[in-house]
Amino acid sequence: MTMVPALVLERQHELKLRDIDLPMDVGPGMVKIKIHTVGVCGSDVHYYTHGKIGPFVVNAPMVLGHEAAGTVVEVGAGAIHLKVGDRVCMEPGIPDPNSRASRLGMYNIDPAVTFWATPPIHGVLTPYVVHPANYTFKLPGNVSFAEGAMVEPFAVGMQAATKAKITPGDTMVVIGAGPIGTMVALAALAGGCARVIIADLAQPKLDIAARYQGIIPVNVRDKDLVAEVRRLTDNWGADVVFECSGSPKAWQSIAELPRPGGTIVVVGLPVDPINFDIATLSVREITIASVFRYAHQYDRAIALMASGRVDLKPLISDTFAFEDSIKAFDRAVEGRPTDVKLQIKMDA
């Protein structure tokens, strides 16, 4: 263990930049990474403001941050695909490779998985981290550290698009134009969708999403989403609906959005249990799929970004220095409608 500087969530509503004891020994199959950029995720902010997410409760000081990119500075025995100097991003969840879920390829839902900045596991808003090489991915030369730190949230979009079983030419609806909703839309377009109708209450977020070709914004303050989807699809409905807002209100009319035989993919997580219309879903044979994080998506996400098919740079709203990390989190708490993704640059 080594004392290192970090952004520490001491308890609900209390952040401190201070030294904390973290493991820094590089064992077999591990690499040590100098962190360059870390994204501020909604889950980090939720732990700051609420002190818990579901069963995960902050009962002890915890380092925040799990969307990260950096440079390999030390390589353990057996980590043959990486070398010192490699620019990398890291998948923050580490499963038990021998678990039944992992052996079935569903390592993201392994009950034993440990995940950065999910209590009691520390995150990476600290200068260095030691991580398994198998969950560390090289960045191509044309993908920046800032973009590398966006691979983690984009992987959620990729997982959602994969669960949707997209057919080329499909029409999608995305409810919620926040970071995840917009990345789901981009992943769906990359997967072959002809168009994505994205809905939100915040016009600035819709304006940012609408910069991308194929995205049709709908401000639900001004327009009825069901009516717009029917108008745009000749009263047929969308092939797939992605619920990315986590709002219980979205479920009041969600069953009316997909076409007969369509699919709803649940990405956003409501805080409390919700009611929804089983009868309408049943008589129209609507399939419901759900997403929890991602599995096997990093390589594909990086490839799409490197090819130029997906450009996430317009979603980065502002970048803060490490010493201003608390300001970055307070800014995120404000929830400015013009903000999509805030990042913290560790390596000045």
Side-chain angles (χ1 to χ4, degrees):
M1 302 291 280
T2 305
M3 292 295 289
V4 293
L7 179 68
V8 181
L9 178 61
E10 303 286 359
R11 58 187 62 81
Q12 183 182 3
H13 300 312
E14 185 180 344
L15 284 172
K16 284 186 180 178
L17 280 169
R18 66 169 176 89
D19 288 351
I20 189 170
D21 214 11
L22 296 177
M24 287 291 148
D25 292 335
V26 182
M30 308 291 281
V31 290
K32 186 176 183 179
I33 300 143
K34 184 179 182 183
I35 301 294
H36 185 285
T37 301
V38 181
V40 178
C41 178
S43 65
D44 296 319
V45 176
H46 200 85
Y47 283 123
Y48 178 31
T49 57
H50 291 75
K52 64 179 181 178
I53 296 177
F56 301 104
V57 181
V58 180
N59 291 318
M62 180 181 75
V63 179
L64 291 175
H66 64 264
E67 304 173 0
T71 304
V72 174
V73 294
E74 188 176 344
V75 178
I80 58 175
H81 73 286
L82 294 171
K83 65 182 184 301
V84 171
D86 281 343
R87 299 164 60 257
V88 295
C89 63
M90 296 76 75
E91 190 168 338
I94 307 170
D96 172 3
N98 297 312
S99 73
R100 188 169 185 174
S102 293
R103 287 185 287 110
L104 289 170
M106 304 180 297
Y107 63 85
N108 55 313
I109 51 175
D110 173 16
V113 70
T114 60
F115 198 91
W116 285 342
T118 299
I121 307 302
H122 288 299
V124 293
L125 272 164
T126 186
Y128 294 90
V129 68
V130 175
H131 197 59
N134 284 343
Y135 295 91
T136 303
F137 299 82
K138 285 193 281 190
L139 293 174
N142 64 338
V143 176
S144 67
F145 286 117
E147 292 170 283
M150 297 281 275
V151 172
E152 196 278 339
F154 185 51
V156 177
M158 295 286 290
Q159 184 80 358
T162 301
K163 281 292 190 81
K165 298 180 180 177
I166 293 166
T167 299
D170 276 352
T171 293
M172 304 289 177
V173 171
V174 173
I175 303 172
I180 295 299
T182 303
M183 292 193 208
V184 167
L186 295 177
L189 288 169
C193 287
R195 54 183 176 169
V196 176
I197 302 161
I198 191 165
D200 204 283
L201 296 163
Q203 191 60 45
K205 292 187 186 300
L206 291 169
D207 291 341
I208 292 168
R211 296 175 189 171
Y212 292 97
Q213 184 176 359
I215 293 183
I216 302 168
V218 175
N219 191 323
V220 292
R221 290 187 189 275
D222 307 323
K223 295 180 179 179
D224 179 81
L225 180 57
V226 173
E228 279 298 290
V229 171
R230 287 176 178 169
R231 182 182 68 83
L232 291 165
T233 62
D234 294 329
N235 289 315
W236 179 237
D239 297 290
V240 180
V241 177
F242 298 95
E243 204 309 284
C244 300
S245 71
S247 170
K249 191 173 182 180
W251 286 89
Q252 294 175 6
S253 58
I254 199 168
E256 300 178 61
L257 295 172
R259 63 168 172 79
T263 300
I264 296 171
V265 180
V266 184
V267 184
L269 299 178
V271 174
D272 298 309
I274 59 168
N275 295 315
F276 58 94
D277 184 359
I278 291 289
T280 299
L281 295 171
S282 180
V283 299
R284 302 178 71 214
E285 289 200 350
I286 304 301
T287 298
I288 296 182
S290 62
V291 168
F292 185 66
R293 296 172 180 159
Y294 38 75
H296 312 292
Q297 299 295 349
Y298 262 56
D299 283 324
R300 290 183 172 88
I302 292 167
L304 279 171
M305 294 166 68
S307 72
R309 290 278 305 282
V310 172
D311 180 10
L312 301 180
K313 294 187 292 295
L315 304 182
I316 301 170
S317 304
D318 207 348
T319 304
F320 293 76
F322 177 52
E323 56 266 28
D324 294 325
S325 294
I326 297 175
K327 291 181 181 178
F329 271 77
D330 288 338
R331 164 87 167 264
V333 171
E334 290 178 33
R336 298 183 187 181
T338 52
D339 284 345
V340 178
K341 176 59 63 177
L342 302 176
Q343 292 188 330
I344 295 168
K345 189 176 179 181
M346 306 290 299
D347 187 10

